[in-house]
């Protein structure tokens, strides 16, 4: 949801700030410093409302059928905003594998990143894009979106067996997990050639911090736990599992995350490569 703030600025919406926190009115913001996931959940309204999934499905179908260019979090756009470093890393991996690309898209919704990049991936001789998601997303994904390139799996292991991915994409997902390092470790232990992390929130000079993210009602009314990460700790974790950092970049969704205590975070991205690949 971080892209909402950048979008408001791009379309010229006048942004005013609340005097106590400096958070722009109508923008996504983050509150709290929680000791546990359960504690943050108690202060959240949740992301599992069926109406939210239905909005995402309807928007994604518009993109699939060519009636809209791009969808993110149920909002339609008339032009695609690319994460060029992500696309470059995908094509780089394909180039190193005779034009073949097989992707484990962890937390990939109904194929948002696949549809975002399919124009450039369409001429590759072999594409297998496997989304691993929650059960209700998998059900709709298989029914309405799955084809010979885009597929949906309930577990990481199912994706590994069925499409043998060479690259993992984690875009805007680690901060939404109760145990982000545990889930990341599950992926890294499969020793994929390339790991791409995008829309990853960091808070400079702070330890990992658990907050609640508040979504403006103009999109849909929801709030849910969301992590901010210490960048050095995260990089050390990935390097310690056999990967080297190829590139760091600013996320395409915008560069400012507003916390209600006045602090500011930012979204970044990383491309990692297995040292023995």
């Amino acid at each position: 949801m971080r892209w909402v703030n950048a979008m408001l600025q791009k379309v010229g919406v006048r942004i005013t700030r609340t005097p106590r926190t400096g958070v722009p009115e109508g923008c996504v913001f983050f509150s709290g410093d929680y000791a546990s996931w359960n504690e943050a959940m108690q202060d959240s309204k949740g992301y599992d409302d069926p109406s939210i999934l239905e909005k995402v499905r309807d928007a994604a179908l518009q993109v699939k059928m060519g009636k809209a260019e791009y969808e993110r979090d149920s909002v339609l756009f008339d032009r695609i905003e690319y994460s060029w470093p992500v696309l470059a890393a995908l094509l780089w991996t394909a180039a190193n594998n005779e034009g073949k690309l097989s992707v484990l898209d962890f937390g990939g919704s109904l194929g948002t990143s696949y549809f975002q990049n399919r124009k450039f991936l369409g001429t590759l001789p072999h594409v297998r894009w496997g989304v691993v998601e929650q059960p209700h997303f998998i059900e709709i994904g298989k029914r309405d979106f799955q084809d010979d390139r885009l597929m949906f799996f309930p577990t990481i292991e199912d994706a590994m067996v069925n499409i043998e991915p060479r690259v993992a994409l984690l875009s805007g997902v680690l901060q939404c997990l109760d145990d982000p390092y545990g889930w990341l470790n599950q992926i890294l232990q499969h020793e994929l050639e390339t790991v791409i992390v995008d829309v990853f929130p960091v808070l400079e000079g702070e330890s990992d911090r658990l907050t609640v993210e508040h979504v403006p009602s103009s999109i849909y009314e929801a709030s849910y736990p969301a992590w901010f990460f210490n960048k050095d700790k995260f990089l050390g974790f990935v390097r310690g599992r056999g990967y080297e950092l190829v590139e760091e970049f600013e996320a395409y969704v915008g560069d400012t995350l507003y916390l209600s205590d006045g602090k500011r975070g930012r979204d970044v991205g990383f491309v990692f490569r297995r040292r023995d690949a």
Side-chain angles (χ1 to χ4, degrees):
M1 275 303 165
R2 289 95 162 107
W3 57 268
V4 173
N5 301 343
M7 181 183 69
L8 290 173
Q9 295 171 351
K10 286 181 180 179
V11 299
V13 173
R14 184 173 180 270
I15 292 178
T16 59
R17 301 181 188 275
T18 55
R20 288 191 303 166
T21 66
V23 175
E25 293 182 3
C27 283
V28 172
F29 73 95
F30 303 81
S31 65
D33 186 357
Y34 294 90
S36 71
W37 187 264
N38 286 338
E39 184 181 332
M41 282 291 292
Q42 291 175 6
D43 280 354
S44 303
K45 294 181 180 178
Y47 186 68
D48 54 359
D49 186 332
S51 65
I52 295 176
L53 176 56
E54 194 62 27
K55 286 184 67 175
V56 174
R57 172 190 173 273
D58 291 345
L61 281 174
Q62 295 294 309
V63 175
K64 178 186 176 183
M65 295 184 294
K67 296 181 178 180
E69 283 293 313
Y70 178 56
E71 168 272 331
R72 188 169 186 87
D73 293 318
S74 81
V75 177
L76 291 171
F77 297 83
D78 58 8
R79 62 182 295 272
I80 299 173
E81 291 196 356
Y82 290 97
S83 176
W84 296 111
V86 170
L87 179 56
L90 292 170
L91 294 175
W92 176 52
T93 304
N96 290 327
N97 289 276
E98 301 178 336
K100 298 177 181 179
L101 180 66
S102 185
V103 181
L104 166 65
D105 184 0
F106 186 72
S109 187
L110 294 175
T112 296
S113 294
Y114 170 77
F115 289 113
Q116 179 186 30
N117 294 290
R118 65 176 171 173
K119 183 186 300 183
F120 289 92
L121 305 180
T123 57
L124 294 177
H126 175 96
V127 175
R128 295 292 182 270
W129 193 287
V131 173
V132 175
E133 258 291 357
Q134 301 172 77
H136 50 298
F137 277 85
I138 296 302
E139 180 183 356
I140 289 179
K142 284 181 175 291
R143 186 188 72 201
D144 296 335
F145 295 92
Q146 184 158 294
D147 55 29
D148 61 343
R149 289 194 161 200
L150 177 61
M151 304 165 201
F152 295 83
F153 302 101
T155 68
I156 296 168
E157 288 68 26
D158 285 335
M160 295 300 302
V161 169
N162 284 277
I163 66 171
E164 299 181 347
R166 302 291 294 173
V167 54
L169 173 62
L170 300 96
S171 181
V173 63
L174 287 172
Q175 61 266 37
C176 302
L177 303 174
D178 58 342
D179 182 15
Y181 286 102
W183 283 104
L184 178 60
N185 191 58
Q186 286 190 45
I187 294 172
L188 297 181
Q189 69 183 4
H190 288 289
E191 301 183 353
L192 286 84
E193 178 181 326
T194 308
V195 174
I196 307 167
V197 178
D198 193 18
V199 194
F200 181 80
V202 297
L203 200 56
E204 299 295 344
E206 297 252 348
S207 302
D208 292 348
R209 176 173 170 179
L210 181 56
T211 68
V212 169
E213 179 174 353
H214 303 266
V215 180
S217 58
S218 57
I219 306 300
Y220 49 68
E221 190 154 356
S223 58
Y224 34 83
W227 288 98
F228 281 82
F229 296 94
N230 177 280
K231 186 175 73 170
D232 291 337
K233 175 185 173 182
F234 177 77
L235 292 177
F237 183 89
V238 178
R239 285 172 173 145
R241 282 150 182 80
Y243 287 83
E244 61 183 2
L245 178 65
V246 176
E247 194 59 71
E248 176 181 345
F249 55 93
E250 297 295 325
Y252 74 104
V253 293
D255 60 0
T256 303
L257 302 175
Y258 299 97
L259 283 82
S260 59
D261 62 3
K263 294 183 178 179
R264 299 288 181 265
R266 61 192 180 98
D267 275 323
V268 298
F270 308 101
V271 178
F272 299 98
R273 185 170 177 81
R274 184 79 187 171
R275 291 195 191 100
D276 57 3

